Amino acid sequence: QRAANKRLGRFGKAMENCVRDIEKNKARFKHMPIGPLGQHISLKPEALDDNNLNSLIHVQLGVQLLRSFLVFSTEDRKLLGKIFANGNHFRPGQQPQITQKSLSKARHPVDKFSIPKQYKSMLDYLSFDNDQVFNTVIDQAKCESVLITDDATAQRLFLRKESVPANTRVAITTNFYKYNPPTRGNYSSSYIDRPRDMMNYLIPDRDLERQASQHEETFRSDMQKLQNSLKTIKMDINNARQDLNA
């Protein structure tokens, strides 16, 4: 319980207070809401050890999904909405998303919709401690069909429609590029925006501290490069002035 509370803390004080109010009102719910969903999702060791990979997965799933709640009836949805609004927990427009769905008896069978086993999907890097959360993430993120690879492999596989692995909806890379399969022409690609000061909801505190340190080192390195560039520009300006005055 202590570990769960500690992990909830990274979602912010407002979320902690909101979950506390939900617990106080549990007798009024037909079925207790589940959330935030990110509390029930974790990364497998391979992803934990790679900061680019775990950041990529966090960004691809999205903060909105990871902060969202799950309910199983209209009445519970309305009650949860009132708790969000009446508790003054969140600023306008920042309330967590509420997803309403039927209570599932088992996890969705995803094998027939997954990319081939010789490739890695986003789902291969995720663990879930709740079947309802698993099903919701599959429904919304379709992570069994998101290929995670390197840029060269994505470009090679997406060169022709015939070479795209079965069931692949999109490919993403640890260089933060997204590739869409070709339709009538070439594949398309775009850069995935990577927030600098991102709070990763999926990794343990020890890895979060390590990631924060590495982000700080990267920031310092970028600042040093910027300062060096400014020095070079100033030197070029001074040299140009001297040439003009010569």
Side-chain angles (χ1 to χ4, degrees):
Q1 183 64 38
R2 183 181 300 177
N5 290 339
K6 191 172 184 181
R7 188 171 182 185
L8 179 62
R10 73 183 56 179
F11 289 84
K13 195 67 178 177
M15 186 70 79
E16 286 186 289
N17 292 337
C18 179
V19 170
R20 193 176 299 117
D21 276 358
I22 293 171
E23 184 66 28
K24 289 178 181 177
N25 287 276
K26 63 182 180 181
R28 300 174 62 192
F29 286 103
K30 290 185 175 181
H31 191 289
M32 272 291 282
I34 299 173
L37 298 194
Q39 262 206 302
H40 302 278
I41 309 169
S42 58
L43 293 167
K44 293 181 179 178
E46 184 179 353
L48 286 176
D49 294 336
D50 187 330
N51 284 344
N52 284 335
L53 179 56
N54 60 52
S55 295
L56 175 70
I57 293 171
H58 180 279
V59 170
Q60 184 67 20
L61 287 174
V63 170
Q64 185 179 49
L65 175 61
L66 295 171
R67 293 181 74 250
S68 67
F69 282 73
L70 184 59
V71 297
F72 305 98
S73 70
T74 301
E75 293 81 3
D76 284 352
R77 183 188 186 99
K78 290 179 179 178
L79 176 55
L80 183 58
K82 287 180 180 178
I83 291 174
F84 285 170
N86 297 340
N88 296 318
H89 299 304
F90 306 102
R91 295 177 182 175
Q94 294 186 348
Q95 292 183 0
Q97 175 181 287
I98 303 174
T99 298
Q100 180 183 331
K101 59 182 301 180
S102 300
L103 195 63
S104 305
K105 294 182 179 179
R107 291 193 176 193
H108 291 334
V110 296
D111 286 349
K112 64 180 180 179
F113 304 109
S114 300
I115 63 176
K117 294 297 183 183
Q118 65 263 39
Y119 303 104
K120 284 280 192 178
S121 73
M122 186 163 67
L123 183 59
D124 291 327
Y125 295 104
L126 297 173
S127 295
F128 298 82
D129 66 13
N130 185 289
D131 290 349
Q132 310 301 327
V133 174
F134 175 90
N135 291 343
T136 301
V137 172
I138 292 298
D139 290 342
Q140 296 192 21
K142 295 180 172 52
C143 45
E144 77 282 10
S145 61
V146 176
L147 172 66
I148 296 184
T149 186
D150 57 80
D151 290 283
T153 301
Q155 292 165 10
R156 175 175 56 82
L157 292 174
F158 283 19
L159 193 59
R160 302 184 311 275
K161 287 178 64 175
E162 295 76 19
S163 60
V164 176
N167 298 320
T168 301
R169 183 172 58 88
V170 67
I172 55 177
T173 74
T174 51
N175 285 330
F176 278 71
Y177 276 92
K178 175 182 177 180
Y179 294 84
N180 296 303
T183 52
R184 287 179 290 180
N186 295 328
Y187 65 81
S188 63
S189 64
S190 58
Y191 185 70
I192 301 170
D193 186 33
R194 179 179 185 176
R196 179 177 291 278
D197 299 319
M198 181 183 71
M199 172 66 77
N200 195 321
Y201 297 144
L202 300 175
I203 60 178
D205 288 326
R206 58 180 175 80
D207 293 289
L208 193 65
E209 291 167 3
R210 172 174 56 83
Q211 190 177 82
S213 297
Q214 291 188 357
H215 284 171
E216 184 177 355
E217 290 178 11
T218 301
F219 176 73
R220 288 177 178 175
S221 176
D222 290 345
M223 287 297 296
Q224 186 62 51
K225 290 177 182 177
L226 179 60
Q227 289 174 356
N228 292 339
S229 296
L230 288 173
K231 287 181 181 178
T232 301
I233 293 171
K234 287 180 180 179
M235 289 177 61
D236 290 342
I237 292 173
N238 289 333
N239 291 336
R241 284 174 176 171
Q242 290 176 5
D243 291 341
L244 288 172
N245 294 330

